[in-house]
Amino acid sequence: MATIKDVAKAAQVSVATVSRVLNDTGYVHTDTKTRVTQAMQELNYFPNEVARSLFNRESRLIGLILPDITNPFFPQLARGVEDEIHAHGFRLLFGNSDEDREKELAYLQTFKQNQVVGVIAVTNEPESDMYNDDLPVVFLDRTVPNAPSVFADAATGGKMAAMELIKRGSRQITLLKGPAHLQTARQRFKSALDVLTEKGVDFHVMSNASFSFQEARKSAKALFQLYPETDGIIASNDIVATAVIHEALRIGKAIPDEVQIIGFDDIPQSELLFPSLSTIRQPAYDMGKEAAKLLIKSIQKQPIDQSVIQMPVSFIERETTRKVDSQ
């Protein structure tokens, strides 16, 4: 691996000159700067970001905590974050907590050791003492009272899913409730429940402790065993909806004629399923970008007009719901 001394030797300059080029400090002639840059490229030299931050007393690193990298929704959030911070000259350190508090704490400690200047957290414990320090934090896909946060309109999403199933003729609906510790999941569930109650539709409720595919498969099997008359299903997310589609087809249910299914998130894979999944779309990529913008403003101590950002959701009609007359 090339060192700063190797770059200096290749460019025929001093180590101090290479350092000035790297840190943009002091005067360096244009021709000299070009030689240094070319030498860095030829030697595939990358400066140590932590060392640079200590030298300059200014880090360009931001930490991102995600709960489950295997869920395709979260990489969409991460891509939005990464694209936005990259455009502002920052770099990303990433941690996958697996919804484990100790692992999350370990990643936060690693972030601090690497001199991150802020954290974006998709955490299951937004109100815990893990985030009660001087490091700027923005919570993503989570609602946190009196804290900078970016999330989708879960309540409208739940209401929308219930109304779409009713409009398309479902009368025996099963609600698959998401993890109770997540406020966004509770909001989706409650608003869907309110609509079904108001409209006098028969419904059942099943709970998922997590959004994992393994748990989703168990719930899908149990659903059709417990409530075989179900003709409409509101899944807690697209992973759960995917498991329901698989189980419905396995037992010979016709989709959407016998049972309609609506997911939540609109992960890229939803469009590729057969039948393709009707779902409530959360603008994950844009949510990530907005969280990054909010954090950068906080880091740079810029004025923040709105620290709590709720983003709109929309119904994406595909093949797991029946068509209706648009008039």
Side-chain angles (χ1 to χ4, degrees), residues 132-151:
N132 291 336
D133 56 30
D134 294 331
L135 196 64
V137 177
V138 172
F139 296 100
L140 178 55
D141 192 40
R142 300 292 185 261
T143 57
V144 186
N146 305 314
S149 51
V150 178
F151 51 91

Side-chain angles (χ1 to χ4, degrees), residues 11 18 49 58-59 61 71 168 175 272 323:
V18 177
E49 200 64 45
E58 179 186 359
S59 168
L61 297 173
N71 183 334
R168 287 163 169 75
L175 273 168
L272 302 177
K323 305 298 180 185

